Amino acid sequence: MVTTSGRPAASTSVPLAPGALPVVGHTFSLLRDSHAFLTSLPSHGDVVRVRFGRSDTVVVCTPELTQRVLREDKVFDKGGTLFDRIRDWLGDGLGTCPHSRHRRQRRLIQPAFHHTRMPAYGAMMTRQIDAVTGGWHDGDVLDLQSEMGTLSARIVVEAMFRDALPEHLLKQAVDDVGVVVRGLYLRASMPAFLTKLPLPGNRRQIAARARLHRIVTDIITERRASGTDQGDLLSALLAARDTGEQGDTTGLSDAEISDQVMTFFASGLETTALALVWALRLLAFHPEVEQRVLAEADAVLGGGPAQFDAMRDLALTGRVVTEVLRLFPPAGEMFTRTVTGDTTLGGYPVAAGTTVMYSSCLIHHRGDLYDDPTRFDPDRWDGESRTLPPREAFIPFGGGARKCIGEQFAVAEVVLGLATIVSRWQVRPVTARQTPPRTVAEWRRLGKRMRVTSRQNKE
């Protein structure tokens, strides 16, 4: 094994997972069925090595080692080719910056997600959920992923800018956020020279990012001049002052705020949209759970859209969302870190420069941590009737100092969206399939198109 610095790595003593092919290594196994590949790794040890092309990656397979990687973020830092390319595109925001700049950014941004701001964010979520789903018609067949993507984009843009954008600019910003985010990982993983070619996709992404930057820059300039707190994320970022550790009471620069805005757009769009899509798919094939969620929504909402102050009463809906986050972590199946200094993992030496990978998918599907882990069972999270899974074995938002800062925001959006949709619409895949898929791969092969039927018309 060779590290990113070009020198041999001591972590070659970590056992290599079986099935590596000449030249390509485990790449085909990962592409063919990533879930099956990742969940097979614990059977080969607590720490295993996988090979993608000529590059080796060390994978941690236990919750204890995963938590160590997450918590020791100075040793296991964000970095590597993928992160570097994403950073070049999105900027040096909270989700992409290295450890050396993370603590200051976290201190400055944390007030934007203080619990006292959540009711205002929740009211904004309710308005957008009501508006988007209120535009559906009985019998419509929708590309639900696109529809939920539009909803999430409208929420994240309004949360950031409140009423700063007129409707035509709001629509343009929502479209541009979608273009920038959905092309992010493709752009980051393709050869660098391809991103510079005047291909239609490249031109579209570059133009969308440029428009977003202009919008952000104009609003920042206007807000600094007015000095008023609009109750949105941007106001919180502008007001932030660094008073911790060696903080000198300085705030974020315009460039730093712009990078944070782009990071929030990237992290807040596809993740919540996918969580809503998976929740609606799972309920469609588990009508007995869906009926319980509907009964809860009817009792709590009284016919209106879900409000933030109803969250505590939507307990079952919350458990459904938690189970969705376990089965299909929307932020991704695997994440990498770069080792900054020689260390050990599970008793094996690991050299500086080694890429280490952890996987929420792998941990969430360990049979020794979760009873019947492939089964959709929201009641496994009912602490009054069941023994809860270990806390360290649930990591859809990461962990340690770099745990997702918007966790509460994201969960609120999905719970409010799911409760409102289920209370008003029956959502079913456009497929002849009557029984639930048996594997994650089968779930993923379900089409995006789903039919919405008004519950009001059925009554």
Side-chain angles (χ1 to χ4, degrees), residues 128-129 131-137 140-155 174 182 269-270 273-274 276-277 280 413 421 448 450 452:
Q128 292 294 348
I129 293 165
V132 171
T133 62
W136 297 350
H137 300 92
D140 277 354
V141 175
L142 306 171
D143 179 335
L144 200 65
Q145 188 166 329
S146 175
E147 199 73 12
M148 294 299 94
T150 297
L151 171 60
S152 292
R154 291 184 70 92
I155 286 173
V174 167
R182 291 183 184 116
L269 177 57
E270 290 293 284
L274 284 172
L276 276 167
V277 170
L280 291 165
E413 179 181 336
I421 292 170
K448 297 179 181 179
M450 300 186 78
V452 295

PDB file of all heavy atoms in Angstrom, residues 128-129 131-137 140-155 174 182 269-270 273-274 276-277 280 413 421 448 450 452:
ATOM      1  N   GLN A 128     -43.761  26.183   3.270  1.00  0.00           N
ATOM      2  CA  GLN A 128     -43.293  25.608   2.012  1.00  0.00           C
ATOM      3  C   GLN A 128     -43.886  24.217   1.773  1.00  0.00           C
ATOM      4  O   GLN A 128     -44.259  23.879   0.643  1.00  0.00           O
ATOM      5  CB  GLN A 128     -41.756  25.542   1.998  1.00  0.00           C
ATOM      6  CG  GLN A 128     -41.081  26.894   1.945  1.00  0.00           C
ATOM      7  CD  GLN A 128     -41.355  27.624   0.637  1.00  0.00           C
ATOM      8  OE1 GLN A 128     -41.864  27.071  -0.331  1.00  0.00           O
ATOM      9  NE2 GLN A 128     -41.005  28.905   0.604  1.00  0.00           N
ATOM     10  N   ILE A 129     -43.975  23.402   2.809  1.00  0.00           N
ATOM     11  CA  ILE A 129     -44.577  22.073   2.672  1.00  0.00           C
ATOM     12  C   ILE A 129     -46.033  22.204   2.237  1.00  0.00           C
ATOM     13  O   ILE A 129     -46.511  21.503   1.333  1.00  0.00           O
ATOM     14  CB  ILE A 129     -44.479  21.294   4.000  1.00  0.00           C
ATOM     15  CG1 ILE A 129     -43.009  20.972   4.309  1.00  0.00           C
ATOM     16  CG2 ILE A 129     -45.303  20.017   3.949  1.00  0.00           C
ATOM     17  CD1 ILE A 129     -42.766  20.525   5.744  1.00  0.00           C
ATOM     18  N   ALA A 131     -47.401  24.733   0.658  1.00  0.00           N
ATOM     19  CA  ALA A 131     -47.492  25.288  -0.689  1.00  0.00           C
ATOM     20  C   ALA A 131     -47.169  24.249  -1.755  1.00  0.00           C
ATOM     21  O   ALA A 131     -47.887  24.124  -2.761  1.00  0.00           O
ATOM     22  CB  ALA A 131     -46.538  26.478  -0.816  1.00  0.00           C
ATOM     23  N   VAL A 132     -46.088  23.497  -1.559  1.00  0.00           N
ATOM     24  CA  VAL A 132     -45.668  22.530  -2.584  1.00  0.00           C
ATOM     25  C   VAL A 132     -46.661  21.379  -2.690  1.00  0.00           C
ATOM     26  O   VAL A 132     -47.122  21.031  -3.787  1.00  0.00           O
ATOM     27  CB  VAL A 132     -44.251  22.006  -2.289  1.00  0.00           C
ATOM     28  CG1 VAL A 132     -43.895  20.847  -3.215  1.00  0.00           C
ATOM     29  CG2 VAL A 132     -43.230  23.133  -2.456  1.00  0.00           C
ATOM     30  N   THR A 133     -47.016  20.764  -1.570  1.00  0.00           N
ATOM     31  CA  THR A 133     -47.932  19.625  -1.636  1.00  0.00           C
ATOM     32  C   THR A 133     -49.352  20.067  -1.946  1.00  0.00           C
ATOM     33  O   THR A 133     -50.148  19.280  -2.460  1.00  0.00           O
ATOM     34  CB  THR A 133     -47.903  18.832  -0.318  1.00  0.00           C
ATOM     35  OG1 THR A 133     -48.354  19.668   0.755  1.00  0.00           O
ATOM     36  CG2 THR A 133     -46.500  18.342  -0.014  1.00  0.00           C
ATOM     37  N   GLY A 134     -49.673  21.335  -1.659  1.00  0.00           N
ATOM     38  CA  GLY A 134     -50.995  21.851  -2.012  1.00  0.00           C
ATOM     39  C   GLY A 134     -51.182  22.027  -3.505  1.00  0.00           C
ATOM     40  O   GLY A 134     -52.314  22.201  -3.982  1.00  0.00           O
ATOM     41  N   GLY A 135     -50.091  21.992  -4.260  1.00  0.00           N
ATOM     42  CA  GLY A 135     -50.180  22.093  -5.709  1.00  0.00           C
ATOM     43  C   GLY A 135     -50.399  20.763  -6.404  1.00  0.00           C
ATOM     44  O   GLY A 135     -50.525  20.720  -7.639  1.00  0.00           O
ATOM     45  N   TRP A 136     -50.419  19.662  -5.641  1.00  0.00           N
ATOM     46  CA  TRP A 136     -50.679  18.357  -6.241  1.00  0.00           C
ATOM     47  C   TRP A 136     -52.170  18.201  -6.532  1.00  0.00           C
ATOM     48  O   TRP A 136     -53.022  18.858  -5.909  1.00  0.00           O
ATOM     49  CB  TRP A 136     -50.236  17.247  -5.296  1.00  0.00           C
ATOM     50  CG  TRP A 136     -48.763  17.233  -5.017  1.00  0.00           C
ATOM     51  CD1 TRP A 136     -47.776  17.952  -5.637  1.00  0.00           C
ATOM     52  CD2 TRP A 136     -48.096  16.465  -3.999  1.00  0.00           C
ATOM     53  NE1 TRP A 136     -46.544  17.682  -5.107  1.00  0.00           N
ATOM     54  CE2 TRP A 136     -46.703  16.769  -4.091  1.00  0.00           C
ATOM     55  CE3 TRP A 136     -48.521  15.555  -3.039  1.00  0.00           C
ATOM     56  CZ2 TRP A 136     -45.762  16.192  -3.247  1.00  0.00           C
ATOM     57  CZ3 TRP A 136     -47.581  14.976  -2.202  1.00  0.00           C
ATOM     58  CH2 TRP A 136     -46.213  15.289  -2.306  1.00  0.00           C
ATOM     59  N   HIS A 137     -52.490  17.308  -7.452  1.00  0.00           N
ATOM     60  CA  HIS A 137     -53.882  17.026  -7.805  1.00  0.00           C
ATOM     61  C   HIS A 137     -54.152  15.530  -7.681  1.00  0.00           C
ATOM     62  O   HIS A 137     -53.252  14.709  -7.893  1.00  0.00           O
ATOM     63  CB  HIS A 137     -54.192  17.504  -9.226  1.00  0.00           C
ATOM     64  CG  HIS A 137     -53.997  18.970  -9.425  1.00  0.00           C
ATOM     65  ND1 HIS A 137     -52.801  19.503  -9.878  1.00  0.00           N
ATOM     66  CD2 HIS A 137     -54.830  20.020  -9.205  1.00  0.00           C
ATOM     67  CE1 HIS A 137     -52.911  20.824  -9.948  1.00  0.00           C
ATOM     68  NE2 HIS A 137     -54.127  21.165  -9.534  1.00  0.00           N
ATOM     69  N   ASP A 140     -52.386  12.545  -9.649  1.00  0.00           N
ATOM     70  CA  ASP A 140     -51.122  12.948 -10.288  1.00  0.00           C
ATOM     71  C   ASP A 140     -50.081  11.843 -10.149  1.00  0.00           C
ATOM     72  O   ASP A 140     -49.975  11.194  -9.092  1.00  0.00           O
ATOM     73  CB  ASP A 140     -50.558  14.212  -9.624  1.00  0.00           C
ATOM     74  CG  ASP A 140     -51.175  15.493 -10.166  1.00  0.00           C
ATOM     75  OD1 ASP A 140     -51.946  15.406 -11.136  1.00  0.00           O
ATOM     76  OD2 ASP A 140     -50.869  16.570  -9.614  1.00  0.00           O
ATOM     77  N   VAL A 141     -49.318  11.630 -11.207  1.00  0.00           N
ATOM     78  CA  VAL A 141     -48.144  10.764 -11.151  1.00  0.00           C
ATOM     79  C   VAL A 141     -46.923  11.673 -11.150  1.00  0.00           C
ATOM     80  O   VAL A 141     -46.697  12.424 -12.102  1.00  0.00           O
ATOM     81  CB  VAL A 141     -48.103   9.782 -12.335  1.00  0.00           C
ATOM     82  CG1 VAL A 141     -46.797   8.988 -12.308  1.00  0.00           C
ATOM     83  CG2 VAL A 141     -49.294   8.828 -12.277  1.00  0.00           C
ATOM     84  N   LEU A 142     -46.152  11.615 -10.074  1.00  0.00           N
ATOM     85  CA  LEU A 142     -45.060  12.560  -9.860  1.00  0.00           C
ATOM     86  C   LEU A 142     -43.714  11.843  -9.848  1.00  0.00           C
ATOM     87  O   LEU A 142     -43.616  10.677  -9.433  1.00  0.00           O
ATOM     88  CB  LEU A 142     -45.231  13.280  -8.521  1.00  0.00           C
ATOM     89  CG  LEU A 142     -46.561  13.994  -8.272  1.00  0.00           C
ATOM     90  CD1 LEU A 142     -46.625  14.455  -6.817  1.00  0.00           C
ATOM     91  CD2 LEU A 142     -46.726  15.167  -9.213  1.00  0.00           C
ATOM     92  N   ASP A 143     -42.679  12.537 -10.302  1.00  0.00           N
ATOM     93  CA  ASP A 143     -41.315  12.118 -10.016  1.00  0.00           C
ATOM     94  C   ASP A 143     -41.061  12.608  -8.597  1.00  0.00           C
ATOM     95  O   ASP A 143     -40.722  13.777  -8.372  1.00  0.00           O
ATOM     96  CB  ASP A 143     -40.340  12.752 -11.007  1.00  0.00           C
ATOM     97  CG  ASP A 143     -38.887  12.373 -10.729  1.00  0.00           C
ATOM     98  OD1 ASP A 143     -38.565  12.039  -9.572  1.00  0.00           O
ATOM     99  OD2 ASP A 143     -38.068  12.422 -11.660  1.00  0.00           O
ATOM    100  N   LEU A 144     -41.280  11.725  -7.636  1.00  0.00           N
ATOM    101  CA  LEU A 144     -41.313  12.158  -6.245  1.00  0.00           C
ATOM    102  C   LEU A 144     -39.953  12.683  -5.784  1.00  0.00           C
ATOM    103  O   LEU A 144     -39.901  13.612  -4.968  1.00  0.00           O
ATOM    104  CB  LEU A 144     -41.767  11.015  -5.339  1.00  0.00           C
ATOM    105  CG  LEU A 144     -42.297  11.469  -3.971  1.00  0.00           C
ATOM    106  CD1 LEU A 144     -43.564  12.282  -4.135  1.00  0.00           C
ATOM    107  CD2 LEU A 144     -42.540  10.295  -3.058  1.00  0.00           C
ATOM    108  N   GLN A 145     -38.869  12.111  -6.304  1.00  0.00           N
ATOM    109  CA  GLN A 145     -37.555  12.608  -5.902  1.00  0.00           C
ATOM    110  C   GLN A 145     -37.355  14.041  -6.370  1.00  0.00           C
ATOM    111  O   GLN A 145     -36.833  14.880  -5.639  1.00  0.00           O
ATOM    112  CB  GLN A 145     -36.450  11.712  -6.458  1.00  0.00           C
ATOM    113  CG  GLN A 145     -35.072  12.056  -5.912  1.00  0.00           C
ATOM    114  CD  GLN A 145     -34.062  10.968  -6.196  1.00  0.00           C
ATOM    115  OE1 GLN A 145     -34.397   9.788  -6.262  1.00  0.00           O
ATOM    116  NE2 GLN A 145     -32.811  11.356  -6.360  1.00  0.00           N
ATOM    117  N   SER A 146     -37.797  14.342  -7.581  1.00  0.00           N
ATOM    118  CA  SER A 146     -37.703  15.712  -8.078  1.00  0.00           C
ATOM    119  C   SER A 146     -38.605  16.638  -7.272  1.00  0.00           C
ATOM    120  O   SER A 146     -38.222  17.765  -6.923  1.00  0.00           O
ATOM    121  CB  SER A 146     -38.087  15.758  -9.562  1.00  0.00           C
ATOM    122  OG  SER A 146     -38.112  17.086 -10.032  1.00  0.00           O
ATOM    123  N   GLU A 147     -39.800  16.157  -6.945  1.00  0.00           N
ATOM    124  CA  GLU A 147     -40.758  16.975  -6.186  1.00  0.00           C
ATOM    125  C   GLU A 147     -40.236  17.284  -4.789  1.00  0.00           C
ATOM    126  O   GLU A 147     -40.308  18.420  -4.312  1.00  0.00           O
ATOM    127  CB  GLU A 147     -42.090  16.238  -6.102  1.00  0.00           C
ATOM    128  CG  GLU A 147     -43.277  17.108  -5.770  1.00  0.00           C
ATOM    129  CD  GLU A 147     -43.711  17.998  -6.928  1.00  0.00           C
ATOM    130  OE1 GLU A 147     -43.253  17.787  -8.063  1.00  0.00           O
ATOM    131  OE2 GLU A 147     -44.514  18.916  -6.675  1.00  0.00           O
ATOM    132  N   MET A 148     -39.688  16.262  -4.124  1.00  0.00           N
ATOM    133  CA  MET A 148     -39.138  16.482  -2.784  1.00  0.00           C
ATOM    134  C   MET A 148     -37.857  17.315  -2.848  1.00  0.00           C
ATOM    135  O   MET A 148     -37.549  18.075  -1.928  1.00  0.00           O
ATOM    136  CB  MET A 148     -38.862  15.148  -2.087  1.00  0.00           C
ATOM    137  CG  MET A 148     -40.109  14.324  -1.783  1.00  0.00           C
ATOM    138  SD  MET A 148     -41.298  15.129  -0.664  1.00  0.00           S
ATOM    139  CE  MET A 148     -42.439  15.907  -1.825  1.00  0.00           C
ATOM    140  N   GLY A 149     -37.113  17.193  -3.949  1.00  0.00           N
ATOM    141  CA  GLY A 149     -35.940  18.035  -4.138  1.00  0.00           C
ATOM    142  C   GLY A 149     -36.319  19.498  -4.246  1.00  0.00           C
ATOM    143  O   GLY A 149     -35.662  20.381  -3.679  1.00  0.00           O
ATOM    144  N   THR A 150     -37.406  19.774  -4.979  1.00  0.00           N
ATOM    145  CA  THR A 150     -37.897  21.151  -5.092  1.00  0.00           C
ATOM    146  C   THR A 150     -38.337  21.675  -3.726  1.00  0.00           C
ATOM    147  O   THR A 150     -38.025  22.817  -3.356  1.00  0.00           O
ATOM    148  CB  THR A 150     -39.079  21.219  -6.076  1.00  0.00           C
ATOM    149  OG1 THR A 150     -38.618  20.833  -7.379  1.00  0.00           O
ATOM    150  CG2 THR A 150     -39.665  22.619  -6.138  1.00  0.00           C
ATOM    151  N   LEU A 151     -39.033  20.837  -2.967  1.00  0.00           N
ATOM    152  CA  LEU A 151     -39.473  21.242  -1.628  1.00  0.00           C
ATOM    153  C   LEU A 151     -38.271  21.556  -0.742  1.00  0.00           C
ATOM    154  O   LEU A 151     -38.225  22.616  -0.097  1.00  0.00           O
ATOM    155  CB  LEU A 151     -40.307  20.126  -1.003  1.00  0.00           C
ATOM    156  CG  LEU A 151     -40.661  20.301   0.484  1.00  0.00           C
ATOM    157  CD1 LEU A 151     -41.466  21.568   0.710  1.00  0.00           C
ATOM    158  CD2 LEU A 151     -41.407  19.071   1.003  1.00  0.00           C
ATOM    159  N   SER A 152     -37.281  20.672  -0.718  1.00  0.00           N
ATOM    160  CA  SER A 152     -36.106  20.888   0.126  1.00  0.00           C
ATOM    161  C   SER A 152     -35.336  22.136  -0.296  1.00  0.00           C
ATOM    162  O   SER A 152     -34.835  22.886   0.543  1.00  0.00           O
ATOM    163  CB  SER A 152     -35.188  19.659   0.074  1.00  0.00           C
ATOM    164  OG  SER A 152     -35.799  18.558   0.704  1.00  0.00           O
ATOM    165  N   ALA A 153     -35.246  22.351  -1.610  1.00  0.00           N
ATOM    166  CA  ALA A 153     -34.521  23.532  -2.095  1.00  0.00           C
ATOM    167  C   ALA A 153     -35.235  24.810  -1.681  1.00  0.00           C
ATOM    168  O   ALA A 153     -34.596  25.789  -1.277  1.00  0.00           O
ATOM    169  CB  ALA A 153     -34.376  23.465  -3.618  1.00  0.00           C
ATOM    170  N   ARG A 154     -36.554  24.824  -1.778  1.00  0.00           N
ATOM    171  CA  ARG A 154     -37.308  26.018  -1.371  1.00  0.00           C
ATOM    172  C   ARG A 154     -37.129  26.273   0.128  1.00  0.00           C
ATOM    173  O   ARG A 154     -37.012  27.422   0.569  1.00  0.00           O
ATOM    174  CB  ARG A 154     -38.790  25.864  -1.718  1.00  0.00           C
ATOM    175  CG  ARG A 154     -39.085  25.888  -3.207  1.00  0.00           C
ATOM    176  CD  ARG A 154     -40.585  25.825  -3.479  1.00  0.00           C
ATOM    177  NE  ARG A 154     -41.241  27.068  -3.087  1.00  0.00           N
ATOM    178  CZ  ARG A 154     -41.462  28.101  -3.891  1.00  0.00           C
ATOM    179  NH1 ARG A 154     -41.043  28.061  -5.152  1.00  0.00           N
ATOM    180  NH2 ARG A 154     -42.074  29.183  -3.451  1.00  0.00           N
ATOM    181  N   ILE A 155     -37.107  25.208   0.897  1.00  0.00           N
ATOM    182  CA  ILE A 155     -36.932  25.361   2.342  1.00  0.00           C
ATOM    183  C   ILE A 155     -35.547  25.902   2.669  1.00  0.00           C
ATOM    184  O   ILE A 155     -35.407  26.849   3.451  1.00  0.00           O
ATOM    185  CB  ILE A 155     -37.181  24.020   3.055  1.00  0.00           C
ATOM    186  CG1 ILE A 155     -38.682  23.719   3.080  1.00  0.00           C
ATOM    187  CG2 ILE A 155     -36.618  24.045   4.489  1.00  0.00           C
ATOM    188  CD1 ILE A 155     -39.030  22.344   3.622  1.00  0.00           C
ATOM    189  N   VAL A 174     -33.655  28.294  -6.562  1.00  0.00           N
ATOM    190  CA  VAL A 174     -34.004  26.896  -6.299  1.00  0.00           C
ATOM    191  C   VAL A 174     -33.503  26.007  -7.432  1.00  0.00           C
ATOM    192  O   VAL A 174     -32.914  24.948  -7.207  1.00  0.00           O
ATOM    193  CB  VAL A 174     -35.532  26.751  -6.112  1.00  0.00           C
ATOM    194  CG1 VAL A 174     -35.944  25.285  -6.165  1.00  0.00           C
ATOM    195  CG2 VAL A 174     -35.968  27.375  -4.795  1.00  0.00           C
ATOM    196  N   ARG A 182     -26.785  18.539  -7.500  1.00  0.00           N
ATOM    197  CA  ARG A 182     -26.943  17.219  -8.128  1.00  0.00           C
ATOM    198  C   ARG A 182     -25.760  16.844  -9.010  1.00  0.00           C
ATOM    199  O   ARG A 182     -25.524  15.668  -9.256  1.00  0.00           O
ATOM    200  CB  ARG A 182     -28.254  17.184  -8.915  1.00  0.00           C
ATOM    201  CG  ARG A 182     -29.463  17.227  -7.987  1.00  0.00           C
ATOM    202  CD  ARG A 182     -30.783  17.130  -8.712  1.00  0.00           C
ATOM    203  NE  ARG A 182     -31.873  17.263  -7.747  1.00  0.00           N
ATOM    204  CZ  ARG A 182     -32.750  18.246  -7.740  1.00  0.00           C
ATOM    205  NH1 ARG A 182     -32.697  19.181  -8.673  1.00  0.00           N
ATOM    206  NH2 ARG A 182     -33.685  18.308  -6.822  1.00  0.00           N
ATOM    207  N   LEU A 269     -30.041  19.826   0.705  1.00  0.00           N
ATOM    208  CA  LEU A 269     -30.977  19.602  -0.384  1.00  0.00           C
ATOM    209  C   LEU A 269     -31.296  18.121  -0.561  1.00  0.00           C
ATOM    210  O   LEU A 269     -32.388  17.657  -0.223  1.00  0.00           O
ATOM    211  CB  LEU A 269     -30.422  20.198  -1.679  1.00  0.00           C
ATOM    212  CG  LEU A 269     -31.267  19.992  -2.940  1.00  0.00           C
ATOM    213  CD1 LEU A 269     -32.662  20.564  -2.739  1.00  0.00           C
ATOM    214  CD2 LEU A 269     -30.608  20.613  -4.150  1.00  0.00           C
ATOM    215  N   GLU A 270     -30.346  17.366  -1.074  1.00  0.00           N
ATOM    216  CA  GLU A 270     -30.617  15.979  -1.428  1.00  0.00           C
ATOM    217  C   GLU A 270     -30.888  15.103  -0.210  1.00  0.00           C
ATOM    218  O   GLU A 270     -31.668  14.146  -0.296  1.00  0.00           O
ATOM    219  CB  GLU A 270     -29.447  15.409  -2.219  1.00  0.00           C
ATOM    220  CG  GLU A 270     -29.314  15.985  -3.615  1.00  0.00           C
ATOM    221  CD  GLU A 270     -30.469  15.586  -4.522  1.00  0.00           C
ATOM    222  OE1 GLU A 270     -30.497  14.440  -4.991  1.00  0.00           O
ATOM    223  OE2 GLU A 270     -31.360  16.424  -4.734  1.00  0.00           O
ATOM    224  N   ALA A 273     -34.530  15.490   1.020  1.00  0.00           N
ATOM    225  CA  ALA A 273     -35.402  15.047  -0.073  1.00  0.00           C
ATOM    226  C   ALA A 273     -35.417  13.527  -0.152  1.00  0.00           C
ATOM    227  O   ALA A 273     -36.482  12.894  -0.253  1.00  0.00           O
ATOM    228  CB  ALA A 273     -34.950  15.657  -1.400  1.00  0.00           C
ATOM    229  N   LEU A 274     -34.234  12.911  -0.090  1.00  0.00           N
ATOM    230  CA  LEU A 274     -34.157  11.455  -0.162  1.00  0.00           C
ATOM    231  C   LEU A 274     -34.810  10.798   1.045  1.00  0.00           C
ATOM    232  O   LEU A 274     -35.457   9.752   0.918  1.00  0.00           O
ATOM    233  CB  LEU A 274     -32.696  11.021  -0.274  1.00  0.00           C
ATOM    234  CG  LEU A 274     -32.041  11.224  -1.647  1.00  0.00           C
ATOM    235  CD1 LEU A 274     -30.550  10.939  -1.566  1.00  0.00           C
ATOM    236  CD2 LEU A 274     -32.703  10.341  -2.696  1.00  0.00           C
ATOM    237  N   LEU A 276     -37.365  11.853   2.734  1.00  0.00           N
ATOM    238  CA  LEU A 276     -38.812  11.883   2.519  1.00  0.00           C
ATOM    239  C   LEU A 276     -39.243  10.859   1.482  1.00  0.00           C
ATOM    240  O   LEU A 276     -40.261  10.169   1.648  1.00  0.00           O
ATOM    241  CB  LEU A 276     -39.245  13.284   2.084  1.00  0.00           C
ATOM    242  CG  LEU A 276     -39.482  14.283   3.207  1.00  0.00           C
ATOM    243  CD1 LEU A 276     -39.586  15.709   2.660  1.00  0.00           C
ATOM    244  CD2 LEU A 276     -40.745  13.918   3.988  1.00  0.00           C
ATOM    245  N   VAL A 277     -38.483  10.730   0.406  1.00  0.00           N
ATOM    246  CA  VAL A 277     -38.824   9.748  -0.629  1.00  0.00           C
ATOM    247  C   VAL A 277     -38.798   8.337  -0.056  1.00  0.00           C
ATOM    248  O   VAL A 277     -39.737   7.544  -0.256  1.00  0.00           O
ATOM    249  CB  VAL A 277     -37.865   9.866  -1.829  1.00  0.00           C
ATOM    250  CG1 VAL A 277     -38.067   8.698  -2.791  1.00  0.00           C
ATOM    251  CG2 VAL A 277     -38.086  11.182  -2.561  1.00  0.00           C
ATOM    252  N   LEU A 280     -41.788   7.657   2.306  1.00  0.00           N
ATOM    253  CA  LEU A 280     -43.050   7.434   1.597  1.00  0.00           C
ATOM    254  C   LEU A 280     -43.050   6.088   0.875  1.00  0.00           C
ATOM    255  O   LEU A 280     -44.081   5.405   0.812  1.00  0.00           O
ATOM    256  CB  LEU A 280     -43.303   8.580   0.624  1.00  0.00           C
ATOM    257  CG  LEU A 280     -43.614   9.914   1.315  1.00  0.00           C
ATOM    258  CD1 LEU A 280     -43.501  11.073   0.335  1.00  0.00           C
ATOM    259  CD2 LEU A 280     -45.002   9.884   1.958  1.00  0.00           C
ATOM    260  N   GLU A 413     -37.617  19.034   9.336  1.00  0.00           N
ATOM    261  CA  GLU A 413     -38.149  19.143   7.975  1.00  0.00           C
ATOM    262  C   GLU A 413     -38.782  17.832   7.516  1.00  0.00           C
ATOM    263  O   GLU A 413     -39.881  17.829   6.934  1.00  0.00           O
ATOM    264  CB  GLU A 413     -37.037  19.539   7.011  1.00  0.00           C
ATOM    265  CG  GLU A 413     -37.494  19.662   5.568  1.00  0.00           C
ATOM    266  CD  GLU A 413     -36.367  20.027   4.624  1.00  0.00           C
ATOM    267  OE1 GLU A 413     -35.366  20.619   5.070  1.00  0.00           O
ATOM    268  OE2 GLU A 413     -36.495  19.711   3.423  1.00  0.00           O
ATOM    269  N   ILE A 421     -47.853  15.210   4.468  1.00  0.00           N
ATOM    270  CA  ILE A 421     -48.170  14.459   3.250  1.00  0.00           C
ATOM    271  C   ILE A 421     -49.081  13.271   3.553  1.00  0.00           C
ATOM    272  O   ILE A 421     -50.088  13.069   2.882  1.00  0.00           O
ATOM    273  CB  ILE A 421     -46.873  13.999   2.557  1.00  0.00           C
ATOM    274  CG1 ILE A 421     -46.106  15.207   2.011  1.00  0.00           C
ATOM    275  CG2 ILE A 421     -47.175  13.023   1.414  1.00  0.00           C
ATOM    276  CD1 ILE A 421     -44.707  14.887   1.519  1.00  0.00           C
ATOM    277  N   LYS A 448     -38.914   6.009  -9.782  1.00  0.00           N
ATOM    278  CA  LYS A 448     -39.091   7.274  -9.080  1.00  0.00           C
ATOM    279  C   LYS A 448     -40.541   7.749  -9.103  1.00  0.00           C
ATOM    280  O   LYS A 448     -40.951   8.553  -8.270  1.00  0.00           O
ATOM    281  CB  LYS A 448     -38.209   8.352  -9.708  1.00  0.00           C
ATOM    282  CG  LYS A 448     -36.715   8.095  -9.611  1.00  0.00           C
ATOM    283  CD  LYS A 448     -35.946   9.225 -10.287  1.00  0.00           C
ATOM    284  CE  LYS A 448     -34.450   8.980 -10.228  1.00  0.00           C
ATOM    285  NZ  LYS A 448     -33.707  10.080 -10.907  1.00  0.00           N
ATOM    286  N   MET A 450     -44.403   8.081  -8.595  1.00  0.00           N
ATOM    287  CA  MET A 450     -45.383   7.649  -7.606  1.00  0.00           C
ATOM    288  C   MET A 450     -46.685   8.420  -7.816  1.00  0.00           C
ATOM    289  O   MET A 450     -46.668   9.593  -8.190  1.00  0.00           O
ATOM    290  CB  MET A 450     -44.844   7.862  -6.180  1.00  0.00           C
ATOM    291  CG  MET A 450     -43.562   7.094  -5.894  1.00  0.00           C
ATOM    292  SD  MET A 450     -42.998   7.180  -4.168  1.00  0.00           S
ATOM    293  CE  MET A 450     -44.104   5.998  -3.399  1.00  0.00           C
ATOM    294  N   VAL A 452     -50.143  10.065  -6.417  1.00  0.00           N
ATOM    295  CA  VAL A 452     -50.726  10.635  -5.199  1.00  0.00           C
ATOM    296  C   VAL A 452     -52.243  10.661  -5.335  1.00  0.00           C
ATOM    297  O   VAL A 452     -52.785  11.096  -6.355  1.00  0.00           O
ATOM    298  CB  VAL A 452     -50.172  12.052  -4.916  1.00  0.00           C
ATOM    299  CG1 VAL A 452     -48.686  11.983  -4.607  1.00  0.00           C
ATOM    300  CG2 VAL A 452     -50.414  12.996  -6.072  1.00  0.00           C
TER     301      VAL A 452
END
